[in-house]
Amino acid sequence: MDWLIFAALAVALIALAAVAQRKGWIDLSDKNKSSGGGASPMVIGDEVFNPSRYEAAIELDRQTVLPAPAPVPGDGDKGVYQGNVRIELPRDS
């Protein structure tokens, strides 16, 4: 009967993790999609034994995603400060 308690506890933890993932409290998605399956033990090793390299790799990934380009001088405000925002999409010919 003791194993039933442990099984129920395991099911409850898995359900809690699923709810936390869906709500956005935790992130269990694979951030290392570019590497093959054999590289994941190396990433774990870097995270544990060389955390500065692991954090540098995360920061490099963060910096490769670029935000929208900043406005350049001479563009003007284009009516944004009056509440007018116009998004122009390229037309299909």
Side-chain angles (χ1 to χ4, degrees):
M1 193 67 173
D2 289 337
W3 65 270
L4 189 58
I5 294 171
F6 290 117
L9 183 62
V11 169
L13 286 174
I14 291 172
L16 179 65
V19 168
Q21 171 74 20
R22 186 164 301 250
K23 293 276 188 179
W25 298 336
I26 60 173
D27 186 16
L28 298 175
S29 63
D30 185 16
K31 299 288 188 243
N32 194 11
K33 292 185 176 152
S34 62
S35 67
S40 59
M42 297 303 289
V43 172
I44 292 171
D46 280 341
E47 186 175 357
V48 172
F49 295 109
N50 194 0
S52 60
R53 182 178 185 275
Y54 177 73
E55 291 169 6
I58 289 176
E59 186 63 28
L60 179 65
D61 288 341
R62 227 180 262 142
Q63 290 179 5
T64 56
V65 178
L66 298 176
V72 295
D75 274 351
D77 64 357
K78 297 182 180 176
V80 173
Y81 296 111
Q82 285 85 24
N84 302 326
V85 177
R86 183 175 62 202
I87 300 173
E88 296 179 4
L89 299 175
R91 296 183 182 188
D92 295 334
S93 298

